[in-house]
């Protein structure tokens, strides 16, 4: 298994941990996974999986944006 495959699999494992083993991304869905030295955004757009990897140590701000209510 190559490194990119491991990265995506680890993110999808977290996604399924939260939403259930049968959970699947629907068109327009996206989620973020924070690693020690990068952030991965996985989305499904027009039935195509899209990966955005932002390298570097992420900033953490102790603040609620209240976007998920």
């Amino acid at each position: 298994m190559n490194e990119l495959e491991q990265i995506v699999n680890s993110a999808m494992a977290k996604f399924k941990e939260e939403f259930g083993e049968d959970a699947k991304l629907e068109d327009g869905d996206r989620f973020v996974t924070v690693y020690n030295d990068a952030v991965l955004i996985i989305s499904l757009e027009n039935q195509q999986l899209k990966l955005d990897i932002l390298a570097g140590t992420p900033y953490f701000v102790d603040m609620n944006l209240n976007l998920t209510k």
Side-chain angles (χ1 to χ4, degrees):
M1 184 180 313
N2 68 39
E3 188 175 10
L4 182 58
E5 192 174 2
Q6 288 178 316
I7 292 166
V8 172
N9 286 344
S10 67
M12 291 305 297
K14 287 293 186 179
F15 174 81
K16 288 179 182 264
E17 184 180 301
E18 181 168 349
F19 296 106
E21 283 300 316
D22 295 332
K24 294 182 181 179
L25 287 174
E26 300 290 331
D27 204 45
D29 287 349
R30 65 181 168 191
F31 70 95
V32 177
T33 306
V34 179
Y35 295 87
N36 293 333
D37 60 351
V39 173
L40 170 64
I41 302 167
I42 294 180
S43 58
L44 190 64
E45 299 177 12
N46 298 319
Q47 301 303 314
Q48 297 247 325
L49 194 65
K50 181 179 175 192
L51 307 176
D52 290 313
I53 299 175
L54 308 172
T57 303
Y59 296 120
F60 291 94
V61 177
D62 186 16
M63 180 179 166
N64 292 328
L65 301 181
N66 299 313
L67 300 174
T68 57
K69 290 185 180 182

